[in-house]
Amino acid sequence: MGLLWRSYGLFALFTLMGVLAQYEWQPKDAFDEIKVRFDKVNGDNCPILPPRDLTLPEESVSHLPDIKDVNINPVFPNRTALLHLHNMALSRAFFWSYILQSRFIRPAINDTYDPGMMYYFLSTVADVSSNRHINASSIYFAPNSSFSSSYRGFFNKTFPRFAPRTYREDDFNDPIHLQKISTLNTFYVRDLGAFPPDSVLHDYTVKNYHINEWYNLWLPDNVEKRHDTKTTYQVEIRYANNTNETFTFHGPPGADENPGPVKFTKPYFDCRRSNKWLVAAVTPIADIYPRHTQFRHIEYPTYTGVSVLEMDFERIDINQCPKGEGNKGPNVFADTARCKKETTECEPIDGWGFRRGGYQCRCKPGFRLPGVVRRPYLGEILERASDEQYYNGFDCMKIGWVQKVPIRWFRAPTFVREQYLNQYYEYKNFTTGPSSLHSHKLNINEVLKFILGVNGRSCKNYHPQDLMLTGEFAYEAQRQFENEAKMAIRLANFISAFLQISDPNEVYSGKRVADKPLTEDQMMGETLALVLGNTRIWSAATYWDRRKFPNRTLFAPYAYKRELNTRKFNMEDLARFNKTGEEYIDRPFFRLLKQRWATNFDALEKYYLKIRLRHNETGEYAQRYEHFPNFYHAATMDHGYWTTPEFDCKGYVKKWLITYAVPFFGWDSLKAKLEFKGVVAVSMNMLQLDINQCPDDYYEPNAFKNTHKCDEKTSYCVPILGRGYETGGYKCECLQGFEYPYEDLITYYDGQLVEAEFENIVNDKESRYETFKCRLAGAAALQVQFTILVFVTLFGWILLRRNQC
């Protein structure tokens, strides 16, 4: 019995040692160091830790979006959330710069045109509620630089400090939600400028305030020598009464300037607030300062505040692959992947966030996967493997005989050419022009020739029905234009929140007054900021329903641009088109959304707000808003409507446009129930989409599905991002059991080259399309098994001896 217990003990000991030593083959690296620093800080100990422990190295976030490259190089899926953060910060800075200077459009009166406090609060709420990737939004004003209309007798005076901030609160234990489930729809809103004047600890302008990097990136703005140092932007405005005006305002730096308009902070721990590791995008807000002097020669443009948008550091994908071409720049996690460098190379994939395994190990040129492996090795599997599994697997096999890439091209024999034309019969008998869109099987070259050939001059030669495509030609527009749609949702969320929460007739105690109703300048600025803040948005509009905007029957500010990279924009009030059939309320998407949301609003999302605002003009301390907590209902992505592509021949932007429209809501006149108030719409250029020629399920609405030219017997099609609305946006990877036979720097056939060579066959020209096939793996290897060689030699020797006998 004792022997049995000792055996059990030894077995348990060996098992424990095996478990503890399972990952000893993995040496500690930069990820482990950052992870230790990340886990060290929490909401309980952050107030007593030194400032150096509350930040991570700047290189912890690599491949930051650069506005100079947005329209040149593709933005990959693992950086679309950071790009949206970048665009949102830029858009908000443009709006605040516009609205703070728009007082020069209106006549001077003994009042202020500035938005009230609730406008600032609800604006930051909408930034966070419209996108779950954004964790916090705030506006920090420099001392005595913010003006407000929220207090009586406050003309020509400023707040000592003013910084409205909203962050997403974890509400799983909130008494509002009985289900005890985190909804991510509760927001904590606070004016960070509300603190006693003698409390330096709460002054956000101090350098060490919660590791204050966002404020010091742009402020204080010390203008030296020259006064006019801020970039100007021009807007040509046409009002409903057909009067015109050109307004020039100062804003953030331009995309062509150095530094650009957006700066990113190091990852920092948001101590005593959201208690999360955050990364912020910061953009300056410009204004003419000092104000109300009546002497313009002493007023000069300066940065009076910053717009700060923050996101959770854990949501940002890290890149563990080694540095190289296309993977340059500072990156603390570089070369921490577990790929075997002798035979494989690292390729990052998206969706992993701040954890190991966000990559895959592909075979190097000259190597292939074993016959029992179908796809590249996933990094997550390598990271979890034991030492025995790692050292005995995850390798690629060397290709024994590698061919040179053919350099001589030949015309394909007639029977070969006919064989391909019979297989791809749409290239033998095809139609041109608009008729090519309605063929049973599309000739992609003729379809794209028609679509790309339509412009502002030639569009008049086609029937209007020919300029309207089906949704199949905008496949994946919802995914590729998701960030642009979220900016429209942000504005719709803000208008819904303001109409449902802010009451201009409410009476407060003391000197505080309620916010005024929304003004034309505010709606024009909000609409214009959508186009200014996102280069992929060509036009944006806020369509108000009849008699829903204060003191206006119809009101629809429409902002657009004529060129891609420009500082000149246009604004139209579409209410001036009031003839029957020309009114914007008759547009199909407006009527559809109005009918859809005529009576039932149960499907709308409900957002809860906990607002703490200042006690008085000087701040003193933060107190609860009279309605605490508060809530509003607003639309989400699923509640909007995507239009089919249409060439806007009679409109202002003569391009193939895809429009996303989302409704906004407010209380009726009795405040008894919600009602439809209007629509926010943004339009994008369809030609900025990436088309997908690879096979897909039968129910996927893709007009170009399965139009690739890969050899399906030996290879399969994989889409490539960034190729745009042209053919060849894919690569032909070898199937399992096949190998790439050429001595090359890649291990696949590029789709653009495949399409070009196939076109040569169609036109009966010299082509090498026949060589774009993978080879049976191992069939041409110049290596022999030793056992087989001995057996053959022995068998031959026996036969020789028998013949001699």
Side-chain angles (χ1 to χ4, degrees):
M1 194 68 179
L3 181 61
L4 182 62
W5 280 108
R6 282 197 295 271
S7 301
Y8 280 140
L10 289 173
F11 175 75
L13 179 62
F14 286 132
T15 303
L16 181 62
M17 290 177 62
V19 172
L20 292 177
Q22 183 176 1
Y23 300 104
E24 285 186 354
W25 63 273
Q26 299 181 356
K28 288 188 177 181
D29 52 24
F31 180 88
D32 297 311
E33 297 176 4
I34 299 299
K35 183 65 174 173
V36 169
R37 295 176 61 176
F38 181 90
D39 295 334
K40 178 181 178 181
V41 187
N42 54 52
D44 297 327
N45 63 10
C46 68
I48 61 174
L49 290 176
R52 66 177 180 273
D53 290 342
L54 301 182
T55 60
L56 298 177
E58 190 174 356
E59 298 81 12
S60 300
V61 181
S62 62
H63 304 81
L64 291 170
D66 188 351
I67 194 171
K68 297 178 176 61
D69 294 336
V70 168
N71 296 313
I72 301 174
N73 298 322
V75 178
F76 294 102
N78 61 356
R79 284 299 176 268
T80 51
L82 271 175
L83 178 63
H84 183 64
L85 189 79
H86 171 284
N87 291 340
M88 283 292 297
L90 185 61
S91 174
R92 302 319 302 149
F94 271 120
F95 168 74
W96 295 115
S97 299
Y98 176 90
I99 201 64
L100 293 177
Q101 299 170 58
S102 65
R103 64 187 183 277
F104 297 115
I105 303 178
R106 304 302 175 192
I109 59 175
N110 190 23
D111 199 352
T112 178
Y113 293 107
D114 290 323
M117 282 197 304
M118 289 301 295
Y119 196 105
Y120 283 98
F121 288 141
L122 298 178
S123 177
T124 58
V125 169
D127 297 341
V128 184
S129 65
S130 60
N131 190 342
R132 297 200 171 190
H133 287 284
I134 296 179
N135 192 72
S137 173
S138 51
I139 307 163
Y140 295 92
F141 280 99
N144 296 307
S145 297
S146 56
F147 296 77
S148 176
S149 58
S150 296
Y151 289 93
R152 295 187 184 91
F154 199 59
F155 176 72
N156 206 20
K157 292 185 179 180
T158 59
F159 287 142
R161 303 285 189 278
F162 185 50
R165 184 177 189 267
T166 297
Y167 70 84
R168 194 185 309 275
E169 195 175 50
D170 192 358
D171 58 357
F172 78 97
N173 201 27
D174 201 297
I176 298 174
H177 306 292
L178 302 179
Q179 298 90 345
K180 299 297 180 182
I181 299 175
S182 182
T183 64
L184 301 180
N185 287 345
T186 299
F187 308 104
Y188 185 83
V189 190
R190 180 168 181 173
D191 181 3
L192 300 179
F195 59 89
D198 56 349
S199 178
V200 182
L201 181 65
H202 296 89
D203 187 355
Y204 59 80
T205 63
V206 179
K207 187 174 182 179
N208 289 330
Y209 172 79
H210 298 305
I211 315 304
N212 188 355
E213 186 179 357
W214 55 91
Y215 183 87
N216 297 295
L217 284 177
W218 295 101
L219 298 176
D221 183 25
N222 298 318
V223 179
E224 298 179 359
K225 297 181 181 179
R226 289 183 55 196
H227 276 187
D228 195 1
T229 59
K230 302 298 177 283
T231 308
T232 58
Y233 301 86
Q234 181 178 303
V235 186
E236 296 180 4
I237 306 174
R238 178 174 289 185
Y239 297 98
N241 58 3
N242 279 324
T243 59
N244 300 331
E245 183 170 11
T246 300
F247 177 54
T248 302
F249 68 99
H250 300 272
D256 56 336
E257 299 183 46
N258 194 15
V262 181
K263 294 182 180 179
F264 285 88
T265 65
K266 295 184 293 186
Y268 62 92
F269 191 81
D270 193 33
C271 185
R272 289 180 292 188
R273 300 197 292 188
S274 60
N275 291 324
K276 289 179 175 289
W277 286 94
L278 302 178
V279 175
V282 188
T283 311
I285 300 170
D287 192 9
I288 305 295
Y289 193 84
R291 284 189 177 191
H292 310 299
T293 63
Q294 303 301 322
F295 300 101
R296 291 300 303 274
H297 64 281
I298 67 172
E299 299 177 354
Y300 60 92
T302 183
Y303 295 144
T304 58
V306 288
S307 174
V308 182
L309 274 294
E310 301 157 278
M311 72 176 296
D312 197 335
F313 173 70
E314 284 188 282
R315 288 176 174 261
I316 302 176
D317 290 341
I318 62 173
N319 189 345
Q320 295 184 249
C321 297
K323 292 183 179 180
E325 292 296 329
N327 188 24
K328 297 181 179 178
N331 180 12
V332 72
F333 302 108
D335 205 13
T336 59
R338 307 298 188 190
C339 295
K340 293 187 174 181
K341 296 182 180 180
E342 297 80 9
T343 61
T344 62
E345 56 188 6
C346 179
E347 181 182 64
I349 54 180
D350 62 282
W352 255 251
F354 178 61
R355 61 190 181 100
R356 290 186 181 273
Y359 60 91
Q360 62 182 7
C361 301
R362 304 179 53 83
C363 292
K364 277 186 171 183
F367 293 85
R368 63 173 176 82
L369 288 170
V372 295
V373 181
R374 179 173 298 179
R375 294 292 184 265
Y377 302 111
L378 284 178
E380 186 179 22
I381 305 300
L382 270 77
E383 299 286 350
R384 296 180 178 181
S386 64
D387 56 348
E388 182 180 359
Q389 292 173 327
Y390 179 77
Y391 290 117
N392 294 329
F394 308 113
D395 281 302
C396 288
M397 302 176 64
K398 187 173 180 60
I399 298 176
W401 179 50
V402 181
Q403 302 173 230
K404 292 290 185 179
V405 178
I407 58 175
R408 294 188 63 186
W409 302 355
F410 301 93
R411 290 177 60 182
T414 304
F415 74 93
V416 173
R417 180 173 178 271
E418 288 298 324
Q419 181 182 358
Y420 282 118
L421 290 179
N422 290 332
Q423 180 181 357
Y424 300 96
Y425 57 86
E426 66 272 15
Y427 287 86
K428 193 172 185 178
N429 299 311
F430 59 87
T431 56
T432 60
S435 301
S436 62
L437 302 173
H438 310 293
S439 301
H440 174 67
K441 190 172 183 181
L442 295 183
N443 183 327
I444 186 172
N445 292 333
E446 294 299 325
V447 170
L448 293 181
K449 189 181 296 183
F450 163 69
I451 292 176
L452 299 177
V454 179
N455 52 46
R457 295 185 300 274
S458 64
C459 66
K460 301 174 184 178
N461 302 327
Y462 298 102
H463 191 277
Q465 200 169 16
D466 294 333
L467 302 179
M468 298 179 63
L469 305 179
T470 61
E472 294 178 335
F473 291 90
Y475 178 64
E476 288 193 336
Q478 292 89 334
R479 182 181 63 83
Q480 298 185 37
F481 288 143
E482 182 180 10
N483 284 349
E484 289 69 33
K486 287 179 179 177
M487 298 192 75
I489 294 172
R490 184 259 155 214
L491 179 53
N493 267 21
F494 165 73
I495 298 176
S496 299
F498 193 90
L499 295 179
Q500 297 174 42
I501 293 178
S502 179
D503 185 0
N505 299 318
E506 191 159 3
V507 178
Y508 299 105
S509 59
K511 296 182 180 180
R512 185 157 64 93
V513 296
D515 276 28
K516 297 177 182 179
L518 295 173
T519 66
E520 293 183 13
D521 288 335
Q522 291 169 356
M523 290 296 95
M524 287 183 174
E526 292 280 6
T527 307
L528 179 64
L530 296 178
V531 183
L532 285 163
N534 193 320
T535 58
R536 300 184 76 184
I537 296 178
W538 281 84
S539 67
T542 305
Y543 303 103
W544 287 80
D545 199 8
R546 190 182 299 274
R547 297 187 183 90
K548 300 304 180 184
F549 190 80
N551 303 320
R552 290 288 301 272
T553 303
L554 292 174
F555 180 53
Y558 175 84
Y560 64 97
K561 60 187 178 185
R562 301 183 188 274
E563 300 176 359
L564 183 60
N565 299 314
T566 182
R567 295 182 185 173
K568 295 182 179 181
F569 301 86
N570 298 80
M571 175 83 68
E572 297 267 350
D573 186 353
L574 299 184
R576 68 190 184 90
F577 300 104
N578 51 15
K579 295 182 181 179
T580 303
E582 293 185 359
E583 295 180 341
Y584 63 83
I585 59 176
D586 292 329
R587 297 196 175 188
F589 63 83
F590 189 95
R591 298 180 65 178
L592 185 146
L593 289 174
K594 185 176 180 180
Q595 293 171 4
R596 180 183 297 176
W597 299 99
T599 55
N600 192 349
F601 306 95
D602 294 340
L604 294 178
E605 198 77 19
K606 190 174 184 180
Y607 300 98
Y608 290 90
L609 314 181
K610 298 179 180 179
I611 303 177
R612 293 183 179 270
L613 39 75
R614 58 181 54 232
H615 172 65
N616 55 21
E617 302 96 318
T618 59
E620 299 298 333
Y621 59 87
Q623 66 181 23
R624 288 185 174 185
Y625 178 55
E626 277 73 4
H627 306 281
F628 186 95
N630 214 326
F631 65 88
Y632 71 94
H633 297 83
T636 62
M637 178 75 74
D638 296 334
H639 299 143
Y641 175 75
W642 291 89
T643 66
T644 56
E646 179 179 1
F647 194 91
D648 195 9
C649 193
K650 296 182 179 180
Y652 298 102
V653 183
K654 292 178 170 52
K655 295 183 180 296
W656 290 99
L657 296 181
I658 300 173
T659 301
Y660 175 77
V662 61
F664 53 87
F665 309 89
W667 297 114
D668 61 3
S669 58
L670 301 177
K671 282 197 170 185
K673 66 182 184 67
L674 291 175
E675 68 176 6
F676 173 85
K677 294 290 186 180
V679 168
V680 176
V682 292
S683 298
M684 290 70 65
N685 185 3
M686 181 191 70
L687 301 185
Q688 292 182 293
L689 288 174
D690 291 329
I691 65 175
N692 189 341
Q693 295 181 247
C694 295
D696 210 336
D697 295 323
Y698 70 93
Y699 52 80
E700 290 293 341
N702 181 8
F704 304 114
K705 177 171 55 182
N706 204 20
T707 58
H708 68 94
K709 305 303 183 299
C710 296
D711 179 43
E712 296 185 352
K713 293 181 180 179
T714 62
S715 61
Y716 63 97
C717 176
V718 179
I720 296 179
L721 299 178
R723 296 287 174 90
Y725 213 80
E726 295 186 4
T727 59
Y730 60 90
K731 57 183 177 179
C732 303
E733 293 274 6
C734 293
L735 285 169
Q736 183 180 5
F738 292 86
E739 61 190 16
Y740 185 76
Y742 298 113
E743 184 180 1
D744 204 347
L745 296 178
I746 56 177
T747 59
Y748 56 86
Y749 299 106
D750 192 287
Q752 289 182 336
L753 186 60
V754 173
E755 292 282 344
E757 296 301 328
F758 181 81
E759 190 70 17
N760 288 338
I761 284 188
V762 173
N763 297 327
D764 200 12
K765 296 181 180 179
E766 294 179 346
S767 174
R768 51 175 173 165
Y769 180 73
E770 275 285 291
T771 65
F772 294 156
K773 298 179 180 179
C774 294
R775 186 177 63 195
L776 190 64
L782 292 178
Q783 57 187 8
V784 182
Q785 289 290 339
F786 179 75
T787 306
I788 298 176
L789 179 62
V790 171
F791 176 77
V792 173
T793 305
L794 182 60
F795 184 73
W797 180 78
I798 293 174
L799 290 178
L800 182 63
R801 293 282 296 179
R802 179 175 297 178
N803 292 334
Q804 289 178 351
C805 294

